[in-house]
């Protein structure tokens, strides 16, 4: 999946994956990770998600990485944030105290020793990637997380032939195949969410589940 696909989606405002409110599963299960205040949390492919503001309110240092510069500009404007902009060699950077947003290729990001990634929150990254990219993504997450670092992953499960991705269906067997070698995996919940997602029903889906995983890097 090429970068121009996502740039085109944001330019045309074809962002059905965006949620206008904080994800309820994040609110319900984030405390299960038991993270201390000040922990740096990475949000890959963050878009303009309000989840980042919620994580910041919990006392975390939040780092969002997004391919689309337009998405980040929308996030800054829509939330009335006075962020400082700087051009870096690989990324464009917006910062405000304990919130940093980077525009650029997620796979080019390397955490610094002074700002290690202790946790990752993934609601819309893995499910946005085609199968050919998912293993590289999982490996990159592993490399960025400190030993013992945690990942809260939210996936969708449905009959993939009923709908073209993205988002893509990620069954539990694939989650385990991608992460089991390097992570301890715990399925926290698997919830039927079809009735509250009319746009998926309109696309012909006959079932839709949202699964939440807690993972700890070995």
């Amino acid at each position: 999946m090429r970068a121009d696909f996502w740039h085109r989606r944001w330019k045309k405002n074809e962002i059905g994956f965006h949620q206008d409110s904080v994800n309820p599963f994040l609110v319900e299960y984030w405390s299960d990770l038991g993270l201390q205040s000040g922990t740096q949390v990475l949000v890959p492919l963050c878009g303009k998600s309000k989840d980042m503001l919620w994580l910041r309110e919990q006392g975390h240092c939040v780092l969002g990485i997004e391919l689309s510069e337009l998405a980040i500009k929308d996030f800054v404007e829509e939330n009335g944030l006075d962020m400082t902009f700087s051009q870096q060699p690989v990324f464009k950077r917006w910062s405000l105290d304990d919130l940093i947003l980077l525009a650029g290729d997620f796979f080019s990001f390397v955490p610094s020793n002074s700002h290690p990634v202790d946790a990752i929150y993934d609601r819309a990254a893995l499910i946005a990637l085609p199968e050919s990219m998912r293993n590289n993504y999982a490996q990159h997450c592993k490399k960025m997380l400190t030993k013992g670092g945690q990942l809260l992953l939210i996936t969708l499960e449905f009959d993939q032939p009923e709908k073209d991705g993205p988002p893509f269906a990620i069954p539990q067997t694939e989650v385990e195949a991608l992460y089991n070698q390097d992570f301890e995996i715990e399925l926290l919940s698997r919830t039927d969410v079809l009735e509250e997602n009319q746009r998926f029903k309109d696309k012909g889906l006959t079932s839709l589940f949202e699964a939440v995983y807690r993972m700890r890097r070995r």
Side-chain angles (χ1 to χ4, degrees):
M1 185 173 293
R2 297 178 301 182
D4 58 358
F5 170 85
W6 291 109
H7 289 307
R8 187 166 59 252
R9 290 283 293 268
W10 279 100
K11 186 174 182 179
K12 293 183 177 181
N13 200 37
E14 296 175 350
I15 53 172
F17 50 83
H18 173 68
Q19 295 182 336
D20 291 327
S21 57
V22 177
N23 185 278
F25 293 110
L26 169 63
V27 175
E28 182 174 358
Y29 292 106
W30 185 253
S31 62
D32 286 14
L33 275 62
L35 300 175
Q36 296 181 350
S37 178
T39 298
Q40 175 156 271
V41 178
L42 171 65
V43 184
L45 281 62
C46 63
K48 57 177 183 177
S49 172
K50 291 186 180 296
D51 293 349
M52 293 187 287
L53 297 178
W54 186 88
L55 287 166
R56 186 181 179 218
E57 290 171 357
Q58 310 315 303
H60 299 301
C61 300
V62 179
L63 171 62
I65 303 179
E66 168 58 43
L67 182 64
S68 171
E69 181 179 346
L70 177 60
I72 293 182
K73 288 181 175 179
D74 284 351
F75 176 83
V76 173
E77 180 179 351
E78 291 173 9
N79 293 288
L81 301 174
D82 184 17
M83 304 191 76
T84 301
F85 173 80
S86 62
Q87 176 68 63
Q88 299 186 335
V90 179
F91 293 94
K92 294 182 179 180
R93 184 180 190 269
W94 287 259
S95 62
L96 174 63
D97 300 325
D98 49 6
L99 174 63
I100 298 174
L101 305 174
L102 301 178
D105 182 2
F106 170 74
F107 293 96
S108 298
F109 175 73
V110 178
S112 66
N113 291 331
S114 58
H115 293 87
V117 173
D118 300 305
I120 296 176
Y121 168 60
D122 178 354
R123 182 201 70 83
L126 184 64
I127 62 173
L129 300 175
E131 185 176 4
S132 60
M133 297 181 66
R134 291 174 203 156
N135 185 64
N136 287 340
Y137 170 79
Q139 290 299 310
H140 197 55
C141 287
K142 179 199 76 172
K143 292 176 183 177
M144 287 187 294
L145 268 177
T146 57
K147 186 175 181 180
Q150 298 188 75
L151 189 161
L152 188 72
L153 172 68
I154 301 177
T155 64
L156 296 176
E157 299 177 4
F158 56 89
D159 189 358
Q160 189 69 73
E162 292 184 347
K163 177 192 174 301
D164 292 333
F168 295 95
I170 311 289
Q172 184 173 351
T173 52
E174 183 172 356
V175 170
E176 293 171 347
L178 289 171
Y179 292 98
N180 190 55
Q181 183 174 349
D182 303 295
F183 289 83
E184 299 170 1
I185 303 173
E186 178 184 2
L187 175 65
L188 297 178
S189 71
R190 184 174 181 269
T191 307
D192 186 341
V193 295
L194 183 62
E195 290 304 317
E196 56 199 73
N197 286 273
Q198 186 62 42
R199 69 185 183 91
F200 284 99
K201 294 178 68 175
D202 293 343
K203 292 180 181 295
L205 288 193
T206 56
S207 68
L208 178 65
F209 291 86
E210 204 159 0
V212 183
Y213 299 88
R214 173 190 177 187
M215 305 188 197
R216 185 184 298 274
R217 189 185 184 283
R218 294 191 179 95

